[in-house]
Amino acid sequence: MRRVRLPGWVRGPGPDGSTEARVRAYLVLNLGAIWLSVVFLVVLDQAIGTSASLRQNIVALVLAGFSYGVALVLARREHLRGAAATALVATWFVAFSLAWATPFTTPVALLVLHVPSLILTDALGLRLRTALLTATIGLTGALVALGEWRRAAWTADHPDLPMTPLLVGFFTVVVAAVLVLGIRDAVLRLARSRDELEDSRARLAGASIEARREIERDLHDGAQQRLTTLAVDLGRLGRAVDRDPEQARALVAAVQEQLAEAIRELRDLAHGIYPPLLAERGLAGALPAAARRTTLPCVVEVELRGGRPAPEVEAAVYFCCLEAMQNADRHSGGSLISVSVDDEHGLRFSVSDDGCGFDAAARAGASGITGMRDRIQSAGGVLEVHSVPEVGTSVVGVFPPRSLPH
């Protein structure tokens, strides 16, 4: 089976929805700030005369600038963990370089040390994030100790360096502004997530009640009716066995047919609730089986190198893919459905077709799309639907690494 590689605009959000965009914006902002700081320090060095301390800071910032450039390239190539780790190490290096070369900037270095904790650690898994935050706490003490240890010797060598209070005040305000913006962004994201979770929970509760009603209707109108008819026919069969053997044989055939029909309907109902194949073989077994039931040709590729995901994630992905496949089969008018699932960067799945497409913005609140989005969000993921008229539709879901079992 061929692997379907979706273009960037179709592949949907990064591992955590807006996390990728936020990390890229942070890296770009810091790249600009670093190189502006380099220019400022070069001008200051020329103005006050040669200063070994300032030049050490310039070298440290230049190295950090190149490191942030590497991190930005990694982020644009969707290697978000590598980008975050590179930027974190570069930031720590700058903080300790400031405290070593110019101990009077230790307050600035402390703020620099803590900025990534608010912005970059979202891109990391839970365990790695906990380890890095713990390390940041320890490095805070080490940074203060380094600054105090260097302060006396540095002051003796630089008794007449001008504008130190001004420099400290200026850079402290700049870094503190970044911290405040990071805190504000984090608070807004938490508030948004809470509101979305409450709305999603209410919709899921309503959908659960409706699903139970539908199951009851299916049982009443399907298998229950057949079993009732079967009970009547069995009574007739009991009366006809001795009196009319020919009629009894005909009734046996009818009973067998109705029993087979009831078993089929119960099996279909159970499959809709939770297919046994999904429980036994996971997505690699259940999705190809679902693809064989579509009218349009359907290509499925499942590559899970890290093993099966958690049951709630697995079920969410399966039922979302199933609904997207059924929608494409019934409504797209295309010639091919492509399904892809992999766990290269978290768990990512996509269902795409080459059909007529639709106006995704106009149908963003449609019950089917909302239901799929709620199902994925309830399991810790993000879902996006992209569609272009006369080009096709893609349903893309992403679960960040932290939402998956380790």
Side-chain angles (χ1 to χ4, degrees):
M1 293 181 290
R2 65 185 179 89
R3 180 174 181 82
V4 179
R5 180 62 174 173
L6 299 171
W9 64 271
V10 171
R11 289 200 297 273
D16 196 19
S18 63
T19 299
E20 184 173 338
R22 187 170 62 255
V23 169
R24 289 182 184 179
Y26 169 78
L27 293 175
V28 170
L29 177 66
N30 274 267
L31 267 173
I34 286 172
W35 291 113
L36 283 175
S37 299
V38 169
V39 172
F40 175 79
L41 292 179
V42 168
V43 171
L44 180 63
D45 184 59
Q46 295 297 317
I48 66 174
T50 301
S51 170
S53 297
L54 288 180
R55 292 192 173 181
Q56 288 175 15
N57 283 335
I58 291 170
V59 171
L61 287 171
V62 168
L63 292 175
F66 283 116
S67 298
Y68 266 80
V70 171
L72 185 58
V73 171
L74 290 173
R76 287 176 173 169
R77 293 181 178 178
E78 299 186 356
H79 298 294
L80 213 57
R81 283 188 175 185
T86 302
L88 274 168
V89 172
T91 305
W92 288 351
F93 173 72
V94 168
F96 275 87
S97 296
L98 288 173
W100 173 269
T102 49
F104 69 90
T105 61
T106 299
V108 180
L110 281 171
L111 293 176
V112 169
L113 186 71
H114 285 272
V115 168
S117 302
L118 287 172
I119 301 173
L120 290 178
T121 51
D122 275 2
L124 305 172
L126 180 59
R127 292 182 180 178
L128 185 56
R129 187 193 319 173
T130 302
L132 287 173
L133 291 176
T134 303
T136 301
I137 295 172
L139 290 172
T140 299
L143 185 66
V144 172
L146 176 65
E148 289 303 310
W149 176 66
R150 287 278 298 161
R151 185 183 299 276
W154 188 90
T155 303
D157 292 337
H158 304 77
D160 300 321
L161 184 66
M163 299 188 298
T164 54
L166 181 62
L167 287 173
V168 173
F170 173 75
F171 282 109
T172 299
V173 168
V174 171
V175 181
V178 174
L179 273 173
V180 170
L181 289 174
I183 294 171
R184 177 178 175 274
D185 178 66
V187 170
L188 289 176
R189 282 188 286 115
L190 285 174
R192 256 193 324 266
S193 297
R194 182 198 60 209
D195 293 342
E196 290 174 358
L197 182 60
E198 289 176 355
D199 292 343
S200 177
R201 185 179 297 161
R203 288 193 297 266
L204 284 172
S208 177
I209 294 172
E210 182 57 33
R212 287 196 292 270
R213 288 174 179 167
E214 187 175 344
I215 291 171
E216 191 277 333
R217 285 195 299 268
D218 289 342
L219 284 171
H220 180 271
D221 298 339
Q224 183 177 332
Q225 292 279 13
R226 292 193 180 280
L227 291 174
T228 300
T229 304
L230 185 60
V232 173
D233 287 345
L234 285 173
R236 292 172 58 199
L237 176 61
R239 292 189 297 271
V241 166
D242 295 326
R243 189 176 62 248
D244 191 347
E246 191 65 31
Q247 183 187 12
R249 283 192 290 271
L251 285 171
V252 167
V255 166
Q256 288 176 332
E257 183 178 345
Q258 290 193 51
L259 185 59
E261 225 17 66
I263 291 172
R264 182 188 64 77
E265 289 181 356
L266 287 172
R267 185 182 294 117
D268 290 344
L269 183 62
H271 184 86
I273 297 172
Y274 197 93
L277 195 58
L278 179 61
E280 294 170 6
R281 298 180 52 194
L283 295 171
L287 285 177
R292 288 192 288 271
R293 296 193 295 271
T294 62
T295 304
L296 295 177
C298 186
V299 177
V300 177
E301 183 169 0
V302 179
E303 293 184 5
L304 298 177
R305 302 170 185 83
R308 291 177 61 174
E312 63 274 13
V313 174
E314 193 172 66
V317 171
Y318 172 78
F319 285 108
C320 185
C321 287
L322 182 64
E323 182 163 355
M325 291 160 65
Q326 291 173 347
N327 289 340
D329 193 36
R330 295 169 184 166
H331 308 299
S332 72
S335 60
L336 178 68
I337 304 171
S338 300
V339 182
S340 173
V341 182
D342 67 75
D343 57 358
E344 185 176 357
H345 303 294
L347 181 65
R348 181 188 295 269
F349 70 89
S350 67
V351 180
S352 60
D353 64 69
D354 57 355
C356 59
F358 58 89
D359 185 350
R363 296 181 58 184
S367 59
I369 295 175
T370 301
M372 287 192 291
R373 184 171 287 116
D374 286 343
R375 185 185 288 275
I376 295 302
Q377 287 179 347
S378 69
V382 177
L383 184 81
E384 294 292 337
V385 178
H386 305 273
S387 189
V388 178
E390 308 306 325
V391 174
T393 302
S394 292
V395 176
V396 183
V398 178
F399 290 83
R402 69 168 185 271
S403 71
L404 303 176
H406 294 279

